[in-house]
Amino acid sequence: MQTHVSTTPFGRRPMTLGQISNQMTAKAVKPDAVAHKWQVFQDIREARELLGATDRSLAILNALLTFHPETTLTGDGELIVWPSNEQLAARANGMPATTLRRHIAVLVDCGLVIRRDSPNGKRFARKGRGGEIEQAYGFDLSPLVARAQELHDLAGAVHAERRAFRVAKERLTLLRRDIVKLIDTGIEESVPGNWGKVLLDYQAIIIRLPRSAPRQLVEAISAELAVLCTDIREALESFTKTQNPDANESHSGRHIQNSNSELQTESEYGIREKKEAGGTAAETDNVRSLPKRELPLGIVLDACPGVLELAQGGEIRHWRDFLAAAELVRPMLGISPSAWREAREALGEQHAAITLAAIYQRADQISSPGGYLRSLTERAKDGKFSTWPMIMALLRAKLDVQKTQVGADGGKTDESRPSDDLRASEALLKSLTKPRGR
């Protein structure tokens, strides 16, 4: 008794050595071998690039698996399916016949299925009197059982490569972020050095990174950036160690505070700020010649947490929330509308708000916030004021307090204190917390 299911012959191509090898592997499958067909299919999907399979060929393999009635494939079971071209195309989302034949050939070349052709090239099954299949011609799925472990290992290798690639890209992103922040710190703090050349060196490394780079190139670029980052950090640390502690405090502390309890006039603030401006004309030109980066909102909030008390709901998510809180800070500090308007015109709305938040953070140490703001505004008009040093000074002061508290507690930290979601990078903070002049 013979049952024909397909009457459409396939065009025959010469058999390759690879296909002969696949047939030998299929014949060597152990009778007790077992494989879950959908797990094997998932492994094939993950490793399809290594196998050379295509999305269309996997769609056909998925359709072929649906013609096998059992979920579990065994080495001693019947593993040949014989769907017609029409049935196979229908389950492969209506794939045209020419495309179907081409991608079946891909599955064969990948060693995932084997053609078991009848003498006339047709696909059918011959059944006995009891209905059992005596002989079947079509597609043999036994390679999926024979290669199940191999396919699983290939999928695992692909997963490992993806994880390594993800780690490499994360490291690259962190290095890029830290280098830019360290360069900004060197510029804003007037650290001696050719920062223009450092920036060009950084860009020369980054420009070699294409939009879609292999993991090996990402790791190579990261290695070069790591060397550059170390050099920049060592330069900043070396500079901080050579500074006089008293002079350093004058530079970072008096910049936003005044210990004199007597009320000083705006002109007095202006004179003092001009003295503190310091720096040479060459340094000023170097700063102006380089592109400026905006202060991240997270760093500003870390340095000026007091402004959160005035935010709606005690939370600031965006710059618009920060600007709204700054509008509440101005009347509380007694700053006149005219002084605030001049500050926004000279600094820009965002930097004026950052300046106001910094003044509010040290309000108990500044006797005349309005006069101080006017002095900073005048310096900004001359290109001698930036919010970066002000925020960095606040961060240093905060870190010094935290280090003192940790030392007083015997190295214990306050675990009940909620951690901040937005913080300055560890590399940046580390470069700022090194003791100076020691």
Side-chain angles (χ1 to χ4, degrees):
M1 181 178 180
Q2 179 172 307
T3 303
H4 288 274
V5 180
S6 174
T7 58
T8 302
F10 274 102
R12 300 187 180 186
R13 301 189 307 170
M15 183 173 291
T16 65
L17 292 177
Q19 291 172 1
I20 294 175
S21 175
N22 294 332
Q23 289 187 6
M24 293 173 60
T25 301
K27 289 181 180 178
V29 61
K30 298 179 180 179
D32 58 346
V34 177
H36 189 293
K37 67 179 182 181
W38 298 122
Q39 180 59 57
V40 175
F41 180 74
Q42 181 62 31
D43 291 338
I44 294 172
R45 285 183 57 188
E46 295 292 337
R48 62 183 179 276
E49 293 184 1
L50 296 179
L51 294 168
T54 62
D55 292 339
R56 290 289 186 91
S57 63
L58 292 185
I60 295 173
L61 179 59
N62 181 80
L64 287 174
L65 290 175
T66 63
F67 286 102
H68 193 282
E70 302 296 332
T71 301
T72 302
L73 306 179
T74 60
D76 59 351
E78 178 56 57
L79 297 177
I80 297 179
V81 293
W82 55 93
S84 66
N85 283 358
E86 291 77 11
Q87 291 173 325
L88 192 54
R91 294 198 187 183
N93 302 318
M95 191 177 295
T98 54
T99 304
L100 187 71
R101 286 192 290 270
R102 185 168 66 253
H103 289 285
I104 286 176
V106 172
L107 290 177
V108 174
D109 292 340
C110 292
L112 299 176
V113 297
I114 297 174
R115 280 198 181 101
R116 299 297 187 189
D117 292 337
S118 64
N120 60 6
K122 298 177 182 179
R123 300 191 300 275
F124 62 89
R126 181 180 292 111
K127 296 182 179 181
R129 294 183 179 277
E132 70 281 1
I133 297 177
E134 294 181 344
Q135 184 66 48
Y137 298 99
F139 300 104
D140 189 350
L141 303 178
S142 57
L144 302 183
V145 180
R147 301 180 63 188
Q149 185 60 47
E150 174 196 348
L151 296 171
H152 183 71
D153 292 342
L154 286 176
V158 170
H159 280 295
E161 173 64 22
R162 287 176 181 172
R163 284 194 298 270
F165 198 9
R166 183 170 62 251
V167 170
K169 289 193 293 185
E170 288 175 355
R171 181 169 183 258
L172 176 66
T173 300
L174 291 174
L175 283 169
R176 295 181 65 174
R177 184 188 67 185
D178 290 346
I179 287 174
V180 171
K181 287 183 178 180
L182 291 171
I183 291 175
D184 283 343
T185 300
I187 294 171
E188 297 295 344
E189 294 289 341
S190 300
V191 177
N194 191 346
W195 294 107
K197 181 180 182 303
V198 174
L199 188 59
L200 290 176
D201 291 342
Y202 166 71
Q203 292 174 340
I205 296 174
I206 292 300
I207 200 172
R208 292 167 28 219
L209 190 67
R211 184 176 296 273
S212 298
R215 175 178 58 84
Q216 292 77 9
L217 179 58
V218 172
E219 291 177 343
I221 295 293
S222 295
E224 294 185 43
L225 290 178
V227 174
L228 180 62
C229 185
T230 300
D231 291 342
I232 298 173
R233 185 164 51 247
E234 289 178 352
L236 294 177
E237 292 173 356
S238 177
F239 176 74
T240 58
K241 291 178 181 178
T242 61
Q243 300 305 295
N244 186 295
D246 295 332
N248 177 54
E249 183 178 351
S250 172
H251 176 76
S252 63
R254 286 191 296 152
H255 182 71
I256 60 171
Q257 67 183 18
N258 174 32
S259 58
N260 189 352
S261 59
E262 298 179 0
L263 179 64
Q264 296 187 4
T265 62
E266 295 182 12
S267 61
E268 289 174 331
Y269 270 89
I271 293 173
R272 189 186 66 176
E273 289 301 317
K274 289 179 181 177
K275 291 181 180 179
E276 290 181 355
T280 64
E283 289 172 344
T284 302
D285 292 340
N286 187 31
V287 170
R288 290 176 177 174
S289 66
L290 294 174
K292 294 294 190 301
R293 288 178 59 85
E294 296 296 332
L295 272 165
L297 178 59
I299 291 181
V300 175
L301 294 177
D302 200 26
C304 309
V307 74
L308 290 168
E309 302 171 358
L310 306 177
Q312 186 175 4
E315 189 175 20
I316 294 179
R317 294 178 177 271
H318 310 284
W319 280 111
R320 61 175 177 271
D321 299 334
F322 185 81
L323 298 177
E327 292 293 341
L328 300 176
V329 169
R330 182 194 64 77
M332 294 182 65
L333 292 175
I335 296 175
S336 65
S338 61
W340 178 230
R341 181 176 60 256
E342 291 176 5
R344 286 186 296 176
E345 291 174 354
L347 292 164
E349 191 170 10
Q350 182 170 307
H351 286 282
I354 293 173
T355 304
L356 206 60
I359 295 174
Y360 181 73
Q361 189 65 30
R362 291 291 182 88
D364 58 334
Q365 302 173 23
I366 299 177
S367 59
S368 178
Y372 186 52
L373 181 62
R374 286 187 184 277
S375 176
L376 296 180
T377 300
E378 291 301 318
R379 290 180 59 197
K381 291 178 181 178
D382 295 335
K384 298 178 180 179
F385 172 69
S386 168
T387 53
W388 263 102
M390 174 178 282
I391 295 301
M392 293 302 110
L394 284 171
L395 281 175
R396 279 195 296 267
K398 179 179 178 181
L399 290 171
D400 289 342
V401 171
Q402 291 176 351
K403 288 172 63 178
T404 302
Q405 291 176 345
V406 171
D409 295 339
K412 296 180 180 179
T413 58
D414 185 3
E415 296 182 356
S416 62
R417 181 178 179 271
S419 61
D420 296 329
D421 292 334
L422 296 171
R423 299 185 62 86
S425 69
E426 292 298 329
L428 176 58
L429 294 181
K430 181 180 178 181
S431 69
L432 296 173
T433 55
K434 294 292 184 180
R436 299 191 182 190
R438 297 178 186 178

